[in-house]
Amino acid sequence: MLLIRTLHKWFGLILGLQFLLWTVSGAMMALLDHHKVSGEHTVRAPAPLAAPTTLMSIGALAEMVAGPVQGVKLRPLNDRYVYEVKTAMGTSILDAVSGQPMVIDAVAARRLAAAAYVGEGRITAVEPVAKHGLETRGLVLPLWKAKFDDADNTTLYVAATTGEVVERRNDTWRLWDVFWMLHIMDYTDRASFNHPLIITVATGVAWLALSGVILLFRSFRRSDFAWVLDGWDRLRSR
Amino acid sequence: MRLAVPFGAASASSDQVKNMRWPALARNTHKWLALAIGVQAALWTLSGLYMTAVHIDIIHGDHLVRHAAPTPIDLTGLVEPGAVMGGQPSASARLEVQLGRPVYVVAGGTGRALFDARTGRELSPLGEDAARARASELFAGAGALKTVELLAEAPPEIRGRPAPIWRVEFDGWWRPTLYISAQTGELVAKRHDLWRMFDVVWMLHIMDYQERENVNNTLLRVATWTAVVSCASGAWLLIFSFRRRRRARKAA
């Protein structure tokens, strides 16, 4: 038991700081409302849109894009229907009525972001994103970044190839993300929780917690629970 | 160098606390907080260890599904997607290849459906043979198909997914299972025992024992802050734990 106490002490000295960071970051992530973190209330579902009756024939698509077609999707995009075509070169969109290739430029991205946005803010800037940052991890580049001036500094990301609003970020998420970084110990990308550092430390901290539970059995005496047990005895002897 | 350690809290009211030394107070605080949160702390670290040690791609079952190179689709002679979408507002139609033939996966206001893109014939709802064939086409493992059943309601391990849905289980370690949409033939989810185990430890980690998804529940919030204080009291106790030993050695 003395050995376990010594081990608990030394594991606590070496790994205690990370254990404290795990509890604090875990507590903060439990505290921050995940609806606000995900920004789900800052975008709306698009308004219902009837498909036009005079659509360009799907057979004509093959001549309008370079290379063999791997997939096609006919879908609404804000105020019109588009063909989204996938080839080995990537994805592109065309107006489904005229067949005109559509380019999502800064003006189009601004319009799409504004149409999707729900809130008090207005767009202050629309910038191209060509390089991955913390806010765009896991997304397909290139993107447009639309910044809003609401209280939570909402940012919507619009895919430059498909025009879809693919991500939403805000200050609640940015704060949450710092605790997430501390929790998963991925200090550069904040993306992976399957790396040797965290597995090693988690093993040590698991022992810290388990040895603590074992020590509980030796740390309490009957007198510690006198306030409960004496009352119970009195009740029974009555 | 020795820091002054006060040996009594004069302002405290009860006799017990008045006579208590700082190290004893730290020890008592840590002891009682640990009694409250110790078992959960052990569950947190063990569940965390599982989630970090088994790679998330394995948990997601990426290895269960074949990743075929995208094949070119011949667009000549296809039925127009607008024709199979019906008149539903905001409907969409996606052209893809299932079982070697081009199909349209249609999503609209009233639900989803599957159409043969060459004939325009509706293929949904999928029968058992079609579900079997789709699952075998997608499955990348070595095991043979074991059971196929149509579920009228989504089971807990794919909670929230639309039903009816085909559940197709294969022979093999960790009971690999594919869920195929009866409406569209799409792969909706892939499950195996490592995922199922992950789901259990995730439940233990976030302390939501019903839906296993609310990370903001009150129990978790109370427990995590108790853990913060318990951990901090442990750090406080560390100060005394090491100093006392050094003094003892000097005395000897």
Side-chain angles (χ1 to χ4, degrees), chain B residues 47-60:
Chain B
S47 55
L49 186 57
Y50 179 86
M51 292 190 282
T52 55
V54 186
H55 200 281
I56 192 67
D57 292 344
I58 294 174
I59 297 297
H60 284 160

Side-chain angles (χ1 to χ4, degrees), chain A residues 83-136:
Chain A
Y83 277 117
E84 185 182 309
V85 187
K86 205 166 75 186
T87 66
M89 308 285 290
T91 303
S92 54
I93 54 174
L94 300 88
D95 186 294
V97 175
S98 69
Q100 282 294 313
M102 284 174 63
V103 179
I104 307 295
D105 54 13
V107 178
R110 173 185 287 264
R111 211 180 55 239
L112 291 165
Y117 176 75
V118 179
E120 305 292 308
R122 289 213 311 240
I123 295 179
T124 56
V126 178
E127 298 158 3
V129 181
K131 230 175 66 181
H132 273 302
L134 288 175
E135 294 197 7
T136 58

Side-chain angles (χ1 to χ4, degrees), chain A residues 4-227:
Chain A
I4 291 188
R5 199 171 287 280
T6 309
L7 283 172
H8 186 71
K9 204 171 86 173
W10 280 97
F11 270 76
L13 182 70
I14 296 160
L15 300 172
L17 179 63
Q18 182 54 40
F19 198 9
L20 187 63
L21 287 173
W22 269 332
T23 57
V24 170
S25 55
M28 285 307 295
M29 288 193 290
L31 208 57
L32 293 168
D33 182 358
H34 75 272
H35 298 291
K36 283 190 79 179
V37 171
S38 72
E40 61 184 60
H41 301 309
T42 55
V43 292
R44 75 181 92 215
L49 180 73
T53 45
T54 54
L55 289 168
M56 186 189 77
S57 170
I58 192 169
L61 275 178
E63 294 149 30
M64 310 186 91
V65 294
V69 172
Q70 295 171 348
V72 180
K73 190 173 182 185
L74 174 65
R75 64 172 175 90
L77 176 62
N78 199 24
D79 56 353
R80 69 184 77 188
Y81 264 75
V82 298
Y83 277 117
E84 185 182 309
V85 187
K86 205 166 75 186
T87 66
M89 308 285 290
T91 303
S92 54
I93 54 174
L94 300 88
D95 186 294
V97 175
S98 69
Q100 282 294 313
M102 284 174 63
V103 179
I104 307 295
D105 54 13
V107 178
R110 173 185 287 264
R111 211 180 55 239
L112 291 165
Y117 176 75
V118 179
E120 305 292 308
R122 289 213 311 240
I123 295 179
T124 56
V126 178
E127 298 158 3
V129 181
K131 230 175 66 181
H132 273 302
L134 288 175
E135 294 197 7
T136 58
R137 58 181 182 244
L139 302 179
V140 178
L141 295 174
L143 294 161
W144 288 100
K145 174 182 188 172
K147 291 192 208 171
F148 292 79
D149 61 356
D150 57 22
D152 217 15
N153 287 314
T154 299
T155 303
L156 298 184
Y157 287 93
V158 180
T161 45
T162 67
E164 283 175 301
V165 175
V166 286
E167 193 57 273
R168 45 208 188 224
R169 300 299 191 204
N170 55 58
D171 282 351
T172 312
W173 178 84
R174 290 176 189 111
L175 179 64
W176 176 91
D177 198 44
V178 172
F179 294 115
W180 172 246
M181 173 193 77
L182 294 173
H183 211 72
I184 66 168
M185 301 178 81
D186 180 354
Y187 307 104
T188 47
D189 298 332
R190 305 185 184 178
S192 170
F193 46 82
N194 299 120
H195 49 85
L197 172 68
I198 194 169
I199 298 171
T200 309
V201 177
T203 309
V205 170
W207 168 249
L208 178 62
L210 279 175
S211 58
V213 171
I214 296 168
L215 285 174
L216 281 175
F217 290 97
R218 272 303 282 268
S219 302
F220 286 92
R221 275 168 286 175
R222 196 198 177 280
S223 58
D224 284 323
F225 300 100
W227 51 285

Side-chain angles (χ1 to χ4, degrees), chain B residues 1-20:
Chain B
M1 193 187 77
R2 228 171 103 181
L3 294 171
V5 179
F7 281 99
S11 60
S13 55
S14 89
D15 281 352
Q16 204 189 349
V17 174
K18 204 182 285 177
N19 298 328
M20 194 182 275

